[in-house]
Every structure is written in structure tokens, then in C-alpha cells.
Amino acid sequence: MDEQWQELKGLSVQVSEVLYVPTLEAPEEKPHPFVYFVDITNDSDEQVTLHGRKWVVREHNGETTVLEGDGIVGQRPVLPPKDRYSYNSYHVLAGSGTACGAFYGVTDSGRRVFVAIPEFGMAVPDWV
């Protein structure tokens, strides 16, 4: 039987802050870096090990980039019940845009689970 990915009730994601940080390194074609701060909270009754992520970044010029990979900022965080994992990272864009996605993991009982990353905006400030 091919087990499907299931949403785990009680596992949630919040993007708490998004900052425009022009001092970060960015390629010439995507000169606008945005730092985002993420909190992943496990209010379920199961321990979860997060194994990967998928981001969908949509720019206002119509370009969509899908980023998938193992780990979360190079780690595979383990979240016991009632625990939280926080980190920050960044995306570089050609202009303003949005991002959303999901984190994927496995419970201690072996269930493959995911949690959605709510969409958030990244707006180039007027002073740029």
C-alpha cells in the first residue's frame, strides 16, 4: 500500500516577520533579498521529524520558482509534542512577490505528514 502524505492536526507554521535586507548578497538579475522568520509548532500528540521543504515563490513579473530539498536550513529538526522550531532564511527576487509551500516529515509511528506554509508577501520598499 502506497501511503499518502497527511496533514497532521496540531502541526502549524507561522511566518512571524519578513524584512527587506539590501545588504545581503544577491545576483544582479534578482537584486532584492528578503529575510523571513519561521516558527513551526507541534501541538499534536506525536513527535515529528521534519525531513524537507517545498517553496513556491511567485514574483509580480509572472515568474514562478519552485524550490524543493532535503532538510530545513541544513537540519532535520525533531519536534516533540508541544515543542517549537524557529529559524530564518531568505529569498532573492527581481521585484516584489509572494511565497508559500510546505514542510514534510515523519511521525514516530511512521506516518508521512506535511504542514502548509501560509502565503506571505515580500514587497520592495518605496525607498529602493
Side-chain angles (χ1 to χ4, degrees), residues 8-128:
L8 179 60
K9 184 178 173 121
L11 191 60
S12 64
V13 175
Q14 179 182 8
V15 178
S16 59
E17 192 172 13
V18 179
L19 301 172
Y20 181 74
V21 185
T23 55
L24 289 176
E25 190 174 320
E28 190 174 307
E29 68 277 5
K30 291 186 182 270
H32 302 290
F34 294 89
V35 173
Y36 52 89
F37 295 80
V38 177
D39 295 311
I40 307 166
T41 303
N42 183 8
D43 283 330
S44 79
D45 294 330
E46 297 188 66
Q47 182 166 289
V48 178
T49 302
L50 298 173
H51 289 267
R53 79 271 184 222
K54 179 177 185 175
W55 286 100
V56 179
V57 180
R58 293 182 178 90
E59 301 203 39
H60 285 143
N61 66 6
E63 181 182 345
T64 298
T65 304
V66 177
L67 307 160
E68 293 184 79
D70 290 335
I72 298 171
V73 290
Q75 300 180 20
R76 290 190 174 207
V78 176
L79 283 99
K82 310 305 178 214
D83 201 4
R84 175 186 308 185
Y85 177 76
S86 299
Y87 78 97
N88 65 73
S89 190
Y90 73 103
H91 293 306
V92 292
L93 281 69
S96 297
T98 62
C100 63
F103 295 114
Y104 298 90
V106 177
T107 66
D108 275 2
S109 65
R111 277 197 311 148
R112 298 185 329 166
V113 297
F114 74 92
V115 60
I117 303 165
E119 184 174 84
F120 61 92
M122 294 170 282
V124 175
D126 292 338
W127 51 263
V128 173

